[in-house]
Amino acid sequence: MDVSLFAVAFNGVSLASILLLAAVGLSVTFGLMGIINMAHGEFIMIGAYTAYVVQGLLLKSIGDVYYFVALIASFFVAAAFGLVLEQLVIKRLYGRETDSLLATWGVSLVMQQLARSIFGAPNVNVVAPSFLNGGITLLGATISFKRLFIIALVGVTLFFVWALFYRTRYGRRMRACIQNREMAQCLGIRSDRIDSTTFALGSGLAGIAGCALTLLGSIGPSLGQNYIVDTFMVVVLGGVGKIIGAVAGAFIIGLSSTGLEFLTTASIAKAAVLFLVILFLQKKPQGLFVIRSRSLD
Amino acid sequence: MGFMNWVKHWKTLVGVSVVSAALLVSGCGGSGSAVGGSSSGGAAKSDTVKVGLLHSLSGTMAISETSVRDAEKLAIDEINAAGGVMGKKIEIVEEDGASDPQIFAEKAKKLLSSDKVATIFGCWTSASRKAVLPVVEQQNGLLWYPTQYEGMEASKNIMYMGSAPNQQIVPAVEFFLKQGKKKIFLVGSDYVFPQTANRIIKAQLAAQGGECVGEEYTPMGYTDYATIISKIKAAKPDAIINTLNGDSNVAFFKQLKDAGISAADMPVMSFSIAEEEIKGIGAQNVAGHYVSWNYYQTTKTPANEKFVAAYKKAYGADRVTDDPIEAAYDAVYLWKAAVEKAKSFDVAEVTKAAKGLTFDAPEGQVKIDGDNQHLFKTVRIGIVKDDGLIYEVEATEPVKPDPYLKTYDWAKGLGE
């Protein structure tokens, strides 16, 4: 087989960017709140369906530009759903990890069924904007514009998240809550507001991921289920709560999945990656990057 | 005047005697079936006959199976409107298999032992069929199964309405070979149907001068096909045969098109994509590729025109008909014909009478094979067009079902 190494590397980076886009929101919520949000995949689904709805409303009138409107709309729609979920359910479950896991799993089932009732069970189709069709051939690899676009989108998204966390008052407060919640509260930070905003942000990021994934994958009620395991793996491997952790986790998993799949088969690669992650977590249960916490636990 | 009165009187007499004769005949029919039908207990009223519909109305399979259930209901309504089966109206007992083989088995047991239905129309996945099989065999029930499947089975208590492998897979491979497309790449989901289908395809390719240049399986719900597409490009096949299932098809076709592989360079033949699935993949992503089934919504027969119109009238103009939907519709009519030929609802009598029975189905004439209770079916290779419908490219004569591929020399040993 003469698959060029460059092609394998590009596929790996592309997969890593997709995983990262799906995982960055989860990394934020998991890190800050210790909530195991099983409904994260459904926020990805909400983003994808938002793209579908926006396409239906705007494709005829403004053409390909609709896609940028859809990206922004997916963020806000998913964020709004996230806010509602936080207020109704998550808020009451802080500090109860197992309960939050079960409750959000239930929420994910409800949301899937809702999507099924509203849009019907069959997959729907989002037409990719025409300027993203096709690609260029470089060093024996086809670089598709859609995959390039997703890599760029991840870059931009990460930059905004980084700026928000490290260059704004909100970011500083949020980091204070991660490091030591009680002390932050003593200093007058409304940690409950920080929680709501952060959960909405994480959900919104999942929405963007959903909108981007319509370019490459299916849009149906069970869309989120296809990504949830991989996203958790990225977050757990990278270490929760740090953007750099999610980036490292996504790249390690993306490149090793693609490399192993190239050498063996898709099923074996999937199993092998899972096995390697388990082995790694035996050595370093907290993942690659650990947040130094000042809380006394 | 006296004479005219007498004539009137005579007419009334004749009328009365005709009516009473009719009553007598229908009464005999009723008691006849009660004797013949082991399943018509006290629960069955004499003017109706119960049948069971057993499909997943909830869970992941609900999407496919509710359309099939709709087709069965349509056929039953039509039959009832035309006077029923042997003068009896069909009464539906509906159960939800909930996409769970275990529940399918329990509900089948309930339909047979407590509802005492005359027959069951149901199932979709092979897993659910295999769960119901021991139940219908033990309780001597009869299941009409509507979907195409991997073969290697022939129960005397199941009527197989979908195609056996030699009525879908074998002609599709021959189609490629005839076009000079000899180097074939196989892509499938990692479970029983694709693996069995690909074993058959590889044996056939080896025997008929083709070559399998690659074979890849992905887990269910897999979403990234970049690596497999790179492998396909490196292997340079003439064509691809695709047995992926569900959502993976969407990712595969979108990414294949993205990678610059068009239907003209490297056509894909799919076995699990029908009109319903094309909507979700996007017609523009799959146009020009091939599928292999026995029936399309566009199939040109007088029966199909009527069927498509009736289905859309009953369930909405945006609904499409496809292969399993049509097979389920045929099943009800074939059962009716078998019952009327047997003059009994008894399972043994009905299956005996069913042998060789024909029906002018929307897909053309089908015939129940006496040897294995599958159908003789026309195989149609279809091409997907931009409007999302499938159009016939090539059709065979009706093919005899051969679930164990006994008539193919190259298939020796595949059944084990």
Side-chain angles (χ1 to χ4, degrees), chain A residues 74-136:
Chain A
S74 321
F75 176 83
F76 284 105
V77 172
F81 270 90
L83 201 60
V84 172
L85 178 64
E86 205 270 345
Q87 292 293 318
L88 290 180
V89 183
I90 310 276
K91 204 170 152 183
R92 297 154 214 279
L93 294 173
Y94 286 121
R96 292 157 62 185
E97 276 194 6
T98 341
D99 294 353
S100 75
L101 186 146
L102 283 175
T104 51
W105 186 53
V107 168
S108 94
L109 293 181
V110 170
M111 284 161 79
Q112 284 177 46
Q113 198 54 45
L114 259 179
R116 218 165 267 141
S117 309
I118 297 171
F119 297 101
N123 287 324
V124 296
N125 181 36
V126 170
V127 182
S130 53
F131 55 83
L132 290 180
N133 286 333
I136 44 168

Side-chain angles (χ1 to χ4, degrees), chain B residues 372-385:
Chain B
N372 51 39
Q373 301 188 168
H374 289 59
L375 291 180
F376 279 77
K377 278 174 161 280
T378 302
V379 186
R380 297 183 164 88
I381 308 297
I383 188 164
V384 181
K385 291 273 174 73

Side-chain angles (χ1 to χ4, degrees), chain B residues 168-222:
Chain B
Q168 187 187 28
I169 296 169
V170 174
V173 174
E174 275 166 6
F175 174 77
F176 272 159
L177 290 176
K178 254 190 314 198
Q179 294 197 329
K181 301 197 181 302
K182 297 195 183 310
K183 288 162 72 183
I184 308 287
F185 200 103
L186 307 175
V187 182
S189 294
D190 214 350
Y191 77 106
V192 56
F193 173 74
Q195 301 243 6
T196 315
N198 284 347
R199 262 195 349 210
I200 295 168
I201 293 167
K202 280 187 288 180
Q204 188 186 357
L205 284 174
Q208 300 182 349
E211 186 193 351
C212 166
V213 293
E215 183 178 7
E216 292 287 336
Y217 297 96
T218 62
M220 296 293 263
Y222 205 64

Side-chain angles (χ1 to χ4, degrees), chain B residues 76-96:
Chain B
I76 290 171
D77 288 345
E78 287 176 359
I79 290 170
N80 279 343
V85 180
M86 291 206 309
K88 287 167 176 256
K89 290 268 194 277
I90 302 172
E91 186 186 335
I92 297 172
V93 185
E94 189 164 10
E95 288 295 342
D96 179 6

Side-chain angles (χ1 to χ4, degrees), chain B residues 88 114 117 140 142 152 177 191 253 296 316 321 359 372 404:
Chain B
K88 287 167 176 256
S114 79
V117 297
N140 195 27
L142 183 60
M152 311 295 164
L177 290 176
Y191 77 106
F253 277 105
Y296 304 111
T321 60
F359 171 60
N372 51 39
Y404 292 96

